[in-house]
Amino acid sequence: MTKDHHGDTAPPYDIKLSVKALESLLVEKGLVDPEAVDALIELFQNDIGPSNGKRVVARAWVDGGFKRWLLDDPNAAIASMRYVGSQGEQLRVLENTADVHNLVVCTLCSCYPWPLLGLPPVWYKSPPYRAQAVADPRGVMRQFGTEIGEEKEVRVWDSTSEMRYLVLPQRPPDTEGWREEELQNLVTRNSMIGVEDAQRPAKTGTS
Ligand code: FE
C-alpha cells in the first residue's frame, strides 16, 4: 500500500456493503425507489457537492485580492468562507490562464477535494480516466467536448491524500458586471476538475 493514497474519499469496504444491504432492504420493502436514490446521488455529485467550490471560484473572479489569497494560501482563504475539510490535507488552487490549462486526476485511486466538490463522479474514479488523463490529457478533454488549443500548455496534477487540487477556471467572456451569485451558475464541477471550461453565458439567456 502506498503511503500517499490512504485516507481517500472511498469509504471502507464494510461500510459500502452495509449501505448496499440497507438500500436493497429499503427497495425490497417498497420504502424507497432505486431511481430516487440514484437521483439523490446525482444531485450530490453535480449540484450540492460542488456548490462550495462554485462560490470560491466566483468570488475569485470578482475579487482580485481574494484570488491572490486563494492562490497563495488556499487553506486560509477557503477557511475564511467557512469551508473546512476534516482530513487535514493540503489544498492547492491551479489557475487556468490564456497560456496554461490544468487537469486534475488521482492516478492511484480517487483523492478529490471533497469539502469543495462533494462526491467524486464515477468517471473520475474509473481506471480509464486515471490512466488516460496522464498519457493523453487533450484526448480525455476531447471526450468531454473540450478542445484546448495547441498554444496552451496542459498541466496534469496527480492528487494524493496529502495534496488535493482545485482548478480555478478562466472567467468566461461577456460576463463583465455580473454579480458573484450570477457567476456561480457558470462554474461547473467539471470545470473545477479541469475537463471542461466554465460555461459561457447563454446568448439569449435571462441570466
Ligand atoms: Fe488517491
Side-chain angles (χ1 to χ4, degrees):
M1 159 167 197
T2 73
K3 169 180 165 295
D4 285 342
H5 286 260
H6 58 82
D8 173 290
T9 45
Y13 182 69
D14 54 339
I15 294 184
K16 270 194 217 168
L17 207 60
S18 304
V19 169
K20 201 69 214 162
L22 188 60
E23 186 190 340
S24 304
L25 185 66
L26 292 171
V27 169
E28 199 182 294
K29 300 264 178 205
L31 293 173
V32 301
D33 173 356
E35 283 180 20
V37 174
D38 289 345
L40 203 61
I41 291 172
E42 278 281 308
L43 193 66
F44 259 92
Q45 288 177 345
N46 299 320
D47 298 316
I48 298 173
S51 64
N52 289 349
K54 292 179 187 193
R55 290 194 194 100
V56 168
V57 168
R59 177 157 305 174
W61 282 347
V62 299
D63 181 343
F66 179 77
K67 184 175 112 176
R68 277 188 297 279
W69 190 20
L70 185 66
L71 295 173
D72 291 346
D73 189 357
N75 289 64
I78 286 165
S80 78
M81 296 179 76
R82 300 179 190 278
Y83 307 145
V84 186
S86 59
Q87 290 179 313
E89 71 275 3
Q90 287 295 305
L91 179 79
R92 184 162 167 196
V93 177
L94 311 165
E95 184 185 17
N96 283 352
T97 66
D99 303 316
V100 176
H101 184 95
N102 296 286
L103 179 69
V104 177
V105 64
C106 175
T107 53
L108 289 188
C109 40
S110 57
C111 299
Y112 191 69
W114 64 266
L116 295 169
L117 297 187
L119 299 173
V122 171
W123 56 259
Y124 183 85
K125 298 184 275 189
S126 73
Y129 176 75
R130 284 155 41 195
Q132 208 194 342
V134 174
D136 179 20
R138 286 173 195 273
V140 165
M141 289 188 273
R142 215 166 282 132
Q143 290 170 30
F144 285 86
T146 310
E147 198 64 53
I148 299 295
E150 286 300 324
E151 75 285 357
K152 275 196 194 190
E153 178 193 346
V154 173
R155 293 183 190 160
V156 180
W157 302 80
D158 192 0
S159 311
T160 67
S161 63
E162 282 91 27
M163 182 62 80
R164 310 291 168 103
Y165 299 101
L166 181 81
V167 175
L168 173 59
Q170 284 184 283
R171 180 170 172 162
D174 306 320
T175 57
E176 292 77 19
W178 281 40
R179 288 181 300 114
E180 212 173 308
E181 295 72 25
E182 297 171 311
L183 289 167
Q184 284 170 17
N185 296 324
L186 301 179
V187 185
T188 61
R189 176 201 62 206
N190 286 0
S191 70
M192 293 183 280
I193 300 174
V195 291
E196 292 172 1
D197 288 318
Q199 287 182 344
R200 292 181 173 232
K203 286 273 186 278
T204 56
T206 51
S207 78

